[in-house]
Amino acid sequence: MTIAIVLGGGGSLGAFSVGVARWLLVDKGIRPDIVTGTSTGALAAVLVASGEISLLSDLYANVATRDVLHRSFLGDLGVVVHGYANSVDPLRDLIASYLTEARRQRIVDRGVKLQIAATNLQRGRVEYGTEADDLARLRKFVLASCCQPALMPTVEIDGADYLDGGVMQMLPLQRALDLGATKIYACATSAARADRGPITRRFPNSPGTDVFNYTLRRAVLLMTDQGTDDTLALARARGVDVTAFRPATTLAADPLAFDPARMAAMVDEGYLRAKAILP
Amino acid sequence: MSGHLRARIRSSLLWPSLVASSLLCGCGGPELACPSPALPSATPGYAATLTGLVVVPTRAELRAASARERETFEDFAARLQEACAPSPPRSECALASARARLVALPAPDHPALFTSVDGALDAALAYAHDEVAVPDRDCEGLSESACDARAITRAFARAACELRGGGGHP
């Protein structure tokens, strides 16, 4: 049996998947052969692959927004001026701190295939950073995998621009199938029956803001909800044994707000959800 | 004093101040000292690894607990701190006795609460022991029992503090 753990995107909501992974690795004793990750799942995938689940849950329960993003002083106008609304310099530093050469080598030594999904904007396809890459390239893939369109900048790798793997594959399950996984544990941050509530209008009289929020909602529905449903259905249609872990209801948190108390609560929610699904 | 202010003061207490604070309190039981919140070290040792493994299930199980069950657990964690914080730790800082006291705690509203926490300890200990060989453990010359008890005590304190808002990276 070839076991894969697949970690989907969702910004701070990825804390839910961390709780799931904690249950799978520690309480169920599952040792994955393949770990794939997109966006926040890319960050988590590194420490799941290295077996350092304790460090991972500590990190997700303590990280704050300032450790990840630096909001442009122009606010949403940063999209017009720079092409993105947030600097990811703090995230780049965070990745450099935790994704070290020793850790990459540890993954190699454990024989785990690490697959970090990022979208190549030129070629219009998802490509993967792996444990076999040199450290600098792997770090770039992790960073690119986290960078949501418009909200964060693109990352240049080998002369091409890369962004969030979730643009095309919110749940990077296809790669696990391609690598021969026969048992897949898939962690998604969207509920199976998502109720995302009314669209927020920060400035009710400003049509421009509404366009932004409606476009954002459209992207979330397509990329996150529909994308996850389709991916799981595809794997099951191919006869692969998939256990999916999704929140019972839509997680009530802003994916770009990293509040430690809320993150810790989502880690716990993921842990208890996994315990209920796979006792 | 507001609850928020009290929580801030508690969060600023460090382990060495534990004895002094309980003496000043003069009210019987020791006060739970909350560890300073911070991003974790990128290269955690054995003790931090075990602590991190225990925090999640403890905190998760306690979320459903009633106020009096949480209070019972906080008192228990504070007494463990009193035994495990000094160097060298007191004789009561031992894994088996700590677990026996844990499962004996009253949980009238959720009878399985503390046995669930204890059950998660088995898996956490097995994982930590498997990941870090004995010679590589940062146990400062302590016995395995005391070393594990001290790491678990830190986890219990963190879980209790994070649930009441006194912990977590600000």
Side-chain angles (χ1 to χ4, degrees):
Chain A
M1 186 161 61
T2 303
I3 299 172
I5 292 180
V6 175
L7 301 161
S12 64
L13 310 187
F16 174 85
S17 300
V18 169
V20 173
R22 162 66 178 73
W23 174 258
L24 293 178
L25 266 64
V26 181
D27 290 85
K28 300 304 292 180
I30 289 163
R31 298 289 178 266
D33 304 292
I34 303 163
V35 181
T36 71
T38 283
S39 197
T40 185
L43 290 171
V46 171
L47 293 173
V48 170
S50 70
E52 294 168 286
I53 195 71
S54 169
L55 175 58
L56 177 62
S57 55
D58 273 357
L59 184 59
Y60 267 71
N62 282 286
V63 74
T65 303
R66 66 169 181 273
D67 300 317
V68 180
L69 299 170
H70 183 257
R71 184 85 176 144
S72 166
F73 71 97
L74 295 169
D76 290 345
L77 277 178
V79 177
V80 179
V81 177
H82 307 301
Y84 53 88
N86 302 281
S87 158
V88 291
D89 288 346
L91 178 59
R92 184 181 288 107
D93 292 343
L94 194 71
I95 291 168
S97 298
Y98 289 93
L99 178 47
T100 59
E101 178 56 24
R103 191 150 280 132
R104 188 196 68 79
Q105 191 58 49
R106 181 181 162 101
I107 296 168
V108 171
D109 294 344
R110 291 169 79 91
V112 178
K113 291 177 181 167
L114 173 67
Q115 302 288 316
I116 303 299
T119 302
N120 182 322
L121 294 176
Q122 269 88 326
R123 297 188 184 117
R125 69 185 188 199
V126 177
E127 295 177 5
Y128 300 88
T130 80
E131 82 289 348
D133 286 325
D134 68 60
L135 182 64
R137 181 180 167 84
L138 182 56
R139 282 175 172 170
K140 281 186 176 184
F141 261 95
V142 174
L143 180 63
S145 187
C146 295
C147 288
Q148 297 179 37
L151 299 173
M152 304 174 202
T154 58
V155 176
E156 186 184 319
I157 304 173
D158 301 335
D161 287 332
Y162 287 74
L163 270 179
D164 189 353
V167 169
M168 299 184 74
Q169 218 175 92
M170 189 55 119
L171 190 62
L173 194 147
Q174 181 65 50
R175 187 62 161 180
L177 293 174
D178 294 344
L179 291 172
T182 54
K183 172 65 201 177
I184 295 177
Y185 298 96
C187 308
T189 58
S190 63
R193 291 187 181 86
D195 177 0
R196 296 194 171 275
I199 291 173
T200 306
R201 295 186 179 194
R202 275 175 290 178
F203 305 103
N205 297 320
S206 165
T209 304
D210 287 350
V211 167
F212 180 79
N213 283 330
Y214 276 94
T215 305
L216 193 60
R217 174 62 63 90
R218 181 169 180 262
V220 167
L221 292 178
L222 277 174
M223 291 162 51
T224 306
D225 296 346
Q226 193 63 48
T228 300
D229 290 346
D230 290 351
T231 305
L232 289 170
L234 170 75
R236 287 177 175 138
R238 288 172 57 166
V240 175
D241 182 5
V242 180
T243 303
F245 300 92
R246 305 176 77 174
T249 57
T250 300
L251 295 169
D254 175 354
L256 288 183
F258 294 79
D259 169 57
R262 182 71 194 114
M263 301 275 286
M266 287 190 287
V267 170
D268 297 350
E269 190 174 339
Y271 173 82
L272 293 174
R273 181 80 172 141
K275 185 178 177 182
I277 291 174
L278 194 70
Chain B
M1 189 187 296
S2 73
H4 177 71
L5 184 57
R6 196 158 43 237
R8 297 284 297 177
I9 292 171
R10 280 174 177 160
S11 71
S12 68
L13 293 173
L14 297 174
W15 286 61
S17 66
L18 176 67
V19 175
S21 64
S22 38
L23 284 174
L24 284 172
C25 176
C27 51
E31 186 87 353
L32 183 68
C34 291
S36 298
L39 282 173
S41 162
T43 53
Y46 168 77
T49 296
L50 180 55
T51 297
L53 288 170
V54 174
V55 165
V56 174
T58 305
R59 195 179 54 212
E61 300 292 351
L62 281 173
R63 281 187 191 279
S66 63
R68 58 181 170 172
E69 287 167 342
R70 283 192 191 183
E71 197 176 327
T72 298
F73 183 79
E74 282 194 20
D75 289 344
F76 164 70
R79 289 180 193 283
L80 265 183
Q81 274 187 334
E82 198 176 43
C84 289
S87 285
R90 297 180 187 167
S91 57
E92 309 94 274
C93 183
L95 184 63
S97 66
R99 295 183 67 173
R101 278 178 281 154
L102 171 67
V103 296
L105 292 176
D109 305 305
H110 303 87
L113 175 64
F114 296 122
T115 50
S116 292
V117 173
D118 184 64
L121 286 182
D122 278 330
L125 284 162
Y127 195 89
H129 290 175
D130 190 42
E131 285 291 316
V132 187
V134 173
D136 297 330
R137 295 180 193 167
D138 53 340
C139 286
E140 300 165 1
L142 298 177
S143 67
E144 185 173 306
S145 170
C147 184
D148 288 350
R150 181 179 268 181
I152 286 168
T153 299
R154 289 189 176 122
F156 287 168
R158 267 184 51 192
C161 292
E162 287 174 11
L163 281 176
R164 72 181 184 192
H169 190 44

